[in-house]
Amino acid sequence: MKALAALIAAVALFGSIQLFYSGGSEGRTADESAQSPGDYRLVANGDEASCAVKRGTEVADGLSLLTVTANCRQVLPGIERAKFWREQDDGTVTFSANGIDPIVTFGVADGDGYESYAPALPLLSLAAKSD
C-alpha cells in the first residue's frame, strides 16, 4: 500500500513539473500564437495620424517589450513613453511605461487587430503590418 501511495505521489509530482516547464501552452489558441513579436501600425480615427510600433520579446507571461516611434505622440500624446505590451487572458492588450499602469487599452477588433477603448478618444486601431 505504501508503494502505491509513493507511486501516485511521484506521478503527480512529475505531471506538475511538466506543466510548470511547458507553461501550460497546450491550451493556447491559434489566435494567441498569432500574436507573436512583430511590427504593427497604430492609427488614430481612420488614418488621421499613424505610426509604427514593434512588439518585442516576451519578458514575462503575457508581458513583452514594446518599441514606439517618436511620432506616435501625434496619434496619442504620452504613448511615446510606452515600453511594455501586456496581453491579458481575455485578449485585451495594454501599452504601459512600467508594465502595470496602462496608457492605452485595446480590445480585439472584429477583423484583424485591435481597437482602443481606454482612453475613449481618440479611437485607435492597431494592426499587424503586412510585408
Side-chain angles (χ1 to χ4, degrees):
M1 200 59 161
K2 286 183 183 181
L4 180 61
L7 179 62
I8 291 171
V11 169
L13 178 62
F14 179 77
S16 61
I17 289 172
Q18 289 297 324
L19 182 62
F20 175 78
Y21 281 107
S22 71
S25 61
E26 294 87 332
R28 290 195 175 188
T29 65
D31 287 340
E32 287 174 320
S33 62
Q35 302 307 320
S36 59
D39 295 324
Y40 291 82
R41 182 171 180 239
L42 183 64
V43 180
N45 294 333
D47 282 340
E48 283 183 18
S50 68
C51 66
V53 298
K54 182 174 181 72
R55 182 179 182 188
T57 57
E58 189 169 353
V59 294
D61 190 31
L63 185 67
S64 300
L65 296 176
L66 178 68
T67 303
V68 177
T69 58
N71 67 329
C72 283
R73 129 179 5 109
Q74 297 169 349
V75 176
L76 178 66
I79 198 167
E80 71 276 4
R81 297 174 301 146
K83 302 289 181 219
F84 296 98
W85 168 306
R86 179 175 295 279
E87 187 166 354
Q88 304 293 334
D89 291 337
D90 63 0
T92 59
V93 169
T94 59
F95 290 0
S96 67
N98 60 7
I100 299 169
D101 302 313
I103 296 171
V104 62
T105 304
F106 298 92
V108 177
D110 288 339
D112 290 334
Y114 302 90
E115 290 182 349
S116 67
Y117 63 86
L121 292 174
L123 179 63
L124 304 175
S125 65
L126 179 68
K129 282 182 159 179
S130 57
D131 293 330

